[in-house]
Amino acid sequence: MKSLSPNLAVKDIKQTVSYYQDNFGFEIEMLVDSLQEGFSPEIKKDKDYIWALIKKGDISLMLQEENSMKEDIGNFFEGIGASITLYIEVDDVNILYEKVKESVEVLKPVYTTWYGQKEFYIKDINGYILGFSSKV
């Protein structure tokens, strides 16, 4: 095994990409429009998208429009969001928390864990739980 890249079902590619860019500094690696006319490195206003690969440092996320995912792999899920937590290590959890706390849905503010990490948890705009962590 070489890597793990979660492929998250989302309602709207443009909104989700914007959310991750604005709040966490992710960059677009690739986009596929609804006509599947090839890959694009940037969002165009006149296009609808079914898939995106975004990246920040060593973290990659694939985002796939919900109906497109169901066409590709079947209707094995009801709605979107998941019983999964994406746990992301950052340099300084306090700095990130201060940056995003007013623009995201915070589930649990910064706290120190019993295992020596500072963490906080949010729910993204599609219902996925993201945990951010750094050493105390």
Side-chain angles (χ1 to χ4, degrees):
M1 294 186 204
K2 292 180 154 187
S3 68
L4 174 66
S5 297
N7 189 21
L8 306 177
V10 302
K11 293 180 190 298
D12 184 285
I13 296 293
K14 287 180 185 176
Q15 285 180 339
T16 304
V17 167
S18 179
Y19 176 87
Y20 278 86
Q21 286 176 317
D22 295 346
N23 290 299
F24 306 109
F26 275 77
E27 296 180 2
I28 298 169
E29 292 284 309
M30 281 188 258
L31 292 159
V32 176
D33 66 48
S34 59
L35 299 176
Q36 299 179 17
E37 297 178 326
F39 299 109
S40 171
E42 63 186 49
I43 290 179
K44 295 184 174 124
K45 291 182 181 184
D46 63 334
K47 296 222 178 223
D48 290 320
Y49 295 93
I50 59 167
W51 185 86
L53 174 64
I54 59 174
K55 189 169 185 173
K56 169 79 183 217
D58 290 334
I59 308 294
S60 293
L61 294 175
M62 294 185 290
L63 309 170
Q64 189 166 356
E65 192 275 328
E66 180 180 11
N67 291 323
S68 169
M69 184 178 278
K70 288 178 179 180
E71 287 174 17
D72 284 353
I73 57 180
N75 189 13
F76 69 89
F77 60 92
E78 300 274 336
I80 58 178
S83 61
I84 184 173
T85 301
L86 301 177
Y87 189 79
I88 302 165
E89 185 178 349
V90 298
D91 289 328
D92 189 321
V93 80
N94 290 317
I95 291 172
L96 179 60
Y97 181 75
E98 289 302 317
K99 177 183 181 264
V100 303
K101 70 181 182 182
E102 301 299 324
S103 60
V104 301
E105 182 180 347
V106 175
L107 297 177
K108 190 168 188 178
V110 175
Y111 70 102
T112 302
T113 70
W114 57 266
Y115 45 88
Q117 295 289 106
K118 275 196 152 180
E119 298 177 351
F120 73 93
Y121 287 85
I122 69 158
K123 183 186 287 187
D124 83 356
I125 61 171
N126 291 287
Y128 293 102
I129 308 301
L130 307 178
F132 297 93
S133 171
S134 63
K135 291 187 183 349
V136 174

